[in-house]
Amino acid sequence: MRFGPGLAVTVLAAALAVAAVAGLALGPVRIAPGEVVRILTGGAEPSPLRTIVLDVRLPRVLLGAVIGAGLAVIGTVLQALVRNPLADPFLLGVSSGASAGAVSVIVLGIGAGVAMTVTIPAAAFAGAMGSLALVYVLARGRGGAMTGARLVLAGVAVAYILSALTSLLLVTSADANHVQEVLYWTLGGLGSARWDMLALPAVTLLAGTLVLVTLARPLDLLLAGEEGATVLGLDTGRFRAAVFVLASLLTGAAVAYSGAIGFVGLMVPHAARMVVGAGHRRLLPVVALGGALFLVVADLAARTVAAPQDIPVGVLTALTGGPFFLWLLHRGRSAEGVGA
């Protein structure tokens, strides 16, 4: 069933507001929704509940919304760049590079202490860009041509190599405390969210999404086909490289603060296309809100399903994303059978 983008945005925004209030109210300590609203509007007196809402849960909910929106937008763009419905930041090795960079800082203790809040994001950016450069070099064919299929194959190979490097760093670490810290981080989680962690990913992902919205038409052309886009005047090689760099930067900003949360960039774009179609100008805002809603709800489930145990949200996204991935493969195989 198709809806207009305006209606879809309105419904998703309302659902996100409800999910956010639920995320602030539910947890090991239950808080009435009315009390949450009073706290948010400044009508509540200072209390432990006010501290829980404003200093513990609100940064986590906001970070989840930002990261979820960013991952969904990145997945949408990468699927257009490589013309592969299974593409997301993890498939192309970008998230693995960001993870390897951040884990290196944690294990090696670079900038230990307060400086870790700077060195981990910086290392994640560097890792994302390093993996991008490697994928880009491996994907270039004769004459410098770079196709979507070569990008996917190169990305998968680089992802495996970097994942192995991350595991090697972990098992050779002399500090046993690193094992639990890195394991939680590589599984993806929002439990360490603080107010001072919001600015960089929020600004980066918002600015990047706005830039990508302005590139909606060339993304539509690329999705329609390589030859057709070239005939219509798009330099596909240069455009793909530039947007791939931007997607890597956005992935680094997301992974640096949440760890490796998978499948958001795979599932949300497909669901959004079923609602508003494939045109990127109307698709990207819907995808951003859908990704924010999905991750806020997933993190709420991660905090409550086994409370007081806090499950890494990446575990829950993988549990839902794995079957979705298999469904996509089955649907693609069925389509090939019909086409034959």
Side-chain angles (χ1 to χ4, degrees):
M1 181 181 295
R2 293 289 177 88
F3 298 94
L7 177 59
V9 166
T10 301
V11 171
L12 285 172
L16 179 58
V18 172
V21 172
L24 297 174
L26 301 178
V29 176
R30 300 293 180 96
I31 305 173
E35 181 65 17
V36 169
V37 174
R38 282 193 295 272
I39 292 172
L40 293 177
T41 56
E45 297 293 329
S47 66
L49 295 183
R50 189 172 185 271
T51 301
I52 291 173
V53 170
L54 296 182
D55 296 336
V56 179
R57 292 182 182 173
L58 185 56
R60 182 166 180 164
V61 168
L62 292 177
L63 183 64
V66 169
I67 299 299
L71 291 175
V73 167
I74 295 164
T76 302
V77 171
L78 290 179
Q79 288 167 16
L81 289 182
V82 302
R83 298 189 62 214
N84 189 321
L86 302 180
D88 75 351
F90 294 83
L91 178 65
L92 298 183
V94 183
S95 287
S96 297
S99 297
V103 169
S104 299
V105 168
I106 295 173
V107 172
L108 299 177
I110 301 173
V114 178
M116 292 284 275
T117 60
V118 176
T119 54
I120 289 179
F125 274 114
M129 293 305 297
S131 64
L132 161 69
L134 185 57
V135 169
Y136 185 78
V137 170
L138 294 174
R140 290 173 67 88
R142 293 180 179 179
M146 182 171 59
T147 65
R150 291 182 67 90
L151 270 174
V152 171
L153 291 174
V156 170
V158 169
Y160 273 114
I161 294 171
L162 292 173
S163 295
L165 176 61
T166 301
S167 299
L168 179 63
L169 287 170
L170 181 59
V171 298
T172 57
S173 173
D175 190 343
N177 293 327
H178 288 155
V179 176
Q180 185 173 359
E181 181 182 359
V182 172
L183 179 62
Y184 189 90
W185 195 90
T186 54
L187 291 175
L190 302 170
S192 61
R194 302 187 309 271
W195 281 110
D196 60 357
M197 296 172 59
L198 281 171
L200 180 60
V203 171
T204 303
L205 294 171
L206 176 60
T209 300
L210 292 176
V211 171
L212 291 171
V213 170
T214 67
L215 300 176
R217 184 176 181 277
L219 285 171
D220 289 344
L221 292 177
L222 195 61
L223 188 61
E226 191 94 13
E227 294 183 1
T230 303
V231 169
L232 292 173
L234 180 65
D235 186 341
T236 56
R238 181 175 298 178
F239 177 75
R240 181 180 279 117
V243 178
F244 201 22
V245 169
L246 177 58
S248 298
L249 289 172
L250 298 181
T251 302
V255 173
Y257 291 95
S258 67
I261 299 175
F263 292 102
V264 178
L266 175 67
M267 293 185 289
V268 175
H270 284 281
R273 288 190 191 99
M274 295 177 185
V275 176
V276 297
H280 285 85
R281 188 172 298 278
R282 57 186 177 183
L283 178 64
L284 287 173
V286 174
V287 162
L289 284 171
L293 174 62
F294 176 78
L295 196 56
V296 168
V297 172
D299 185 57
L300 174 59
R303 289 191 285 115
T304 57
V305 70
Q309 180 69 30
D310 192 346
I311 300 174
V313 68
V315 173
L316 294 187
T317 61
L319 286 174
T320 55
F324 186 84
F325 185 87
L326 294 175
W327 174 75
L328 285 178
L329 289 177
H330 175 73
R331 189 179 70 167
R333 185 171 58 184
S334 298
E336 290 176 0
V338 172

